[in-house]
Amino acid sequence: MSALPFLPFTRPEIDEETIAGVADVLRSGWITSGPQVKAFEAALSAYFGGRPVRALSSATGALELALEIAGVKAGDEVITTPLSWVATANVIVRLGAKPVFVDIDPATRLIDLDRIEAAISPRTRAIIPVDLAGLPVDRDRLYAIANQHGLRVIEDAAQSMGSTWNGRRIGSFGDLVCISFHANKNLTTGEGGCLVLNDDAEARRCELLRLQGVVRLPDGGQEVEVVGAKLNLTDIAARIGLGQLPHLERFNARRAVLARRYFERFDRSLGCDLPPQAAPGSNWHMFQIVLPLPRLAIGRGDFLKGMQERGIGAGVHYPAMHLFKLFRDLGYGEGDFPHAERVGAGIVTLPLFPGMSEDDVDRVCEAVRDILAPVLTPAHR
Ligand SMILES: *Cc1c(COP(=O)(O)O)cnc(C)c1O
C-alpha cells in the first residue's frame, strides 16, 4: 500500500565509532564484565553528579536489587502505578511483597500523588513511582510524602534517562534510582540497566547481590554470606553504552523537536488525548495518544492494523496491569482504577526516535487522520 520504507515506532541510533569499539572489545579477549563496565559506571556516576552507580543486565534487575537493598521483605506492601510495564509490579510479587496500586492522574498519566497517602498502611515500606514516557513524577511532592511516612523510594526511572526535575537530572538526587538501557530506551546497550545508590555501603551490597554474593578473600579464597543473583552487565554492552552517552543530550533534544512537530501537525478534531504538551523535564521517551474509543466504530487492534498497512509501527505501552490475571488473583479487578483503565485501553505509542524526519511525523499524523476520521462519531455537546 505504501511505497515509503516501514517506519518503526522506535529505532536505536548506533554510530560507526561505537560499532568499531564493540568490535575491539570482541577482539580483546575479555567480553564479560571488565574494564568497559568499570568505565561505563564511572561515566554514569559523573553523569549523575558523582553518585555511586552500578551497571546491571536490566532495569528489572535494578528494581529487584533496589527493593532488597531498601529492606523490602515478604509481606510488605509497595505502592506503585497500574500504568507501567509489568516489570514494575512483577519485582514486588517475586519478593513476596504486595503491590498496592494507586490510580493515575489522567492529565499526566503518572501516579496520582493526591491518592498515595490513602493507600499507606502499617505494612507499606516503599513507593515505586514510574516516569511514564520519560515525564518525571513531581519529585518534591513525592519525597515529601515518602519522608513524612518514613518510606523508601525506588524510582522506576527506566524510561527517564536524561529527564530532569527542576533542572536536576533524574538519577542525580533522590533515593534508589533504576534506569533501563533496553533497546527501545533513549540510551541503549541492547539489554542493560543501572542502579544509582545512596552511598558506598549500598554500592558494595549491590555488587555482592548482582553476582552470586561472592566475596573474594585476600588469600585467593571466597566467602558467600547472602544469596546473590546473576545480573552483571557484559563489556560488550557497556561499550555500546559508552558510545551512546556523549550523544544522549542531542538525541533527547531531537526527540523534543519531533514532539513539538506532533503537537503542530496532529489533528485535534480526531478526539484523541495528546500527552501533556508542556512536559517539564521530559526526555520524550515516547509520544503517546489515547484513542477516543467510545466514539470510534473500530477498536485499538483495528487502528494498529491500519497503521501497519500504511507502513507505520505503533505500540501499546501499556494496558492497565491490575487487570492481568496475575494481579486479579491478588484481588484487583475492573473498576478499581478507572483512569488507568481508560488510558490503558486506548493508549497508542506513535513513532518517535532521533533518526526520524519531520516528514515522518507528518506522515504519521496523516495516517492517523486517514484511519480515524471516517470512523469517528461526532462529539455530543
Ligand atoms: C523498560 C522498562 C522496565 C524494564 O527495563 P528492562 O531493562 O527491560 O528490565 C521497567 N519499567 C519501565 C517503566 C520500563 O519502561
Side-chain angles (χ1 to χ4, degrees), residues 57-61 63 84-85 87-88 130 132 156 158-159 179-182 185 191-193 285 318:
S57 53
S58 70
T60 306
L63 288 163
S84 181
W85 177 227
T88 309
V130 178
L132 187 69
D156 183 341
Q159 302 182 1
I179 293 175
S180 176
F181 305 133
H182 175 268
K185 303 301 203 277
E191 297 282 358
H285 171 58
Y318 304 91

Side-chain angles (χ1 to χ4, degrees), residues 255-315:
R255 285 173 179 274
V257 166
L258 294 165
R260 261 202 305 283
R261 181 81 167 192
Y262 267 117
F263 285 111
E264 283 166 22
R265 296 301 167 106
F266 198 91
D267 183 347
R268 312 290 174 116
S269 77
L270 297 172
C272 298
D273 288 354
L274 298 190
Q277 187 163 357
S282 176
N283 65 2
W284 285 104
H285 171 58
M286 295 188 282
F287 191 94
Q288 299 178 289
I289 60 171
V290 181
L291 299 175
L293 290 179
R295 293 180 55 196
L296 293 181
I298 61 169
R300 179 168 57 188
D302 304 311
F303 175 82
L304 295 172
K305 190 160 160 280
M307 293 293 277
Q308 193 77 21
E309 284 165 4
R310 287 162 180 78
I312 297 170

Side-chain angles (χ1 to χ4, degrees), residues 114-377:
D114 287 335
R115 296 174 192 261
I116 286 186
E117 287 189 301
I120 296 174
S121 87
R123 288 170 178 260
T124 309
R125 292 298 298 268
I127 306 172
I128 306 186
V130 178
D131 303 325
L132 187 69
L135 180 66
V137 171
D138 179 336
R139 294 298 197 273
D140 297 335
R141 290 196 59 204
L142 172 75
Y143 279 99
I145 295 166
N147 292 337
Q148 192 183 337
H149 295 272
L151 304 176
R152 295 295 299 260
V153 175
I154 293 143
E155 297 184 18
D156 183 341
Q159 302 182 1
S160 330
M161 190 64 184
S163 296
T164 57
W165 176 253
N166 279 343
R168 302 168 75 193
R169 279 182 185 145
I170 296 301
S172 69
F173 64 98
D175 195 349
L176 295 163
V177 183
C178 307
I179 293 175
S180 176
F181 305 133
H182 175 268
N184 289 352
K185 303 301 203 277
N186 291 31
L187 182 152
T188 187
T189 61
E191 297 282 358
C194 73
L195 176 55
V196 188
L197 305 116
N198 290 293
D199 53 37
D200 290 339
E202 282 187 353
R204 274 197 301 279
R205 187 152 166 79
C206 180
E207 282 175 20
L208 210 58
L209 291 172
R210 79 175 162 187
L211 201 52
Q212 315 288 10
V214 172
V215 179
R216 292 179 193 283
L217 301 174
D219 69 356
Q222 300 172 4
E223 180 59 286
V224 178
E225 291 178 18
V226 296
V227 189
K230 177 66 165 70
L231 296 170
N232 56 306
L233 191 71
T234 68
D235 261 22
I236 303 167
R239 181 61 186 83
I240 303 174
L242 281 165
Q244 292 261 289
L245 196 53
H247 304 296
L248 179 65
E249 302 299 312
R250 180 171 56 81
F251 289 165
N252 288 351
R254 178 69 188 152
R255 285 173 179 274
V257 166
L258 294 165
R260 261 202 305 283
R261 181 81 167 192
Y262 267 117
F263 285 111
E264 283 166 22
R265 296 301 167 106
F266 198 91
D267 183 347
R268 312 290 174 116
S269 77
L270 297 172
C272 298
D273 288 354
L274 298 190
Q277 187 163 357
S282 176
N283 65 2
W284 285 104
H285 171 58
M286 295 188 282
F287 191 94
Q288 299 178 289
I289 60 171
V290 181
L291 299 175
L293 290 179
R295 293 180 55 196
L296 293 181
I298 61 169
R300 179 168 57 188
D302 304 311
F303 175 82
L304 295 172
K305 190 160 160 280
M307 293 293 277
Q308 193 77 21
E309 284 165 4
R310 287 162 180 78
I312 297 170
V316 172
H317 308 93
Y318 304 91
M321 72 172 108
H322 67 284
L323 299 179
F324 292 152
K325 182 169 185 307
L326 175 69
F327 302 103
R328 286 180 184 272
D329 288 351
L330 296 178
Y332 291 105
E334 202 105 27
D336 287 350
F337 309 109
H339 294 304
E341 287 168 28
R342 183 188 67 83
V343 172
I347 202 162
V348 172
T349 305
L350 299 180
L352 180 65
F353 55 91
M356 262 173 83
S357 68
E358 275 79 353
D359 285 350
D360 289 330
V361 173
D362 298 355
R363 181 181 158 201
V364 175
C365 292
E366 273 160 43
V368 172
R369 187 185 312 118
D370 198 32
I371 297 167
L372 292 184
V375 294
L376 181 71
T377 322

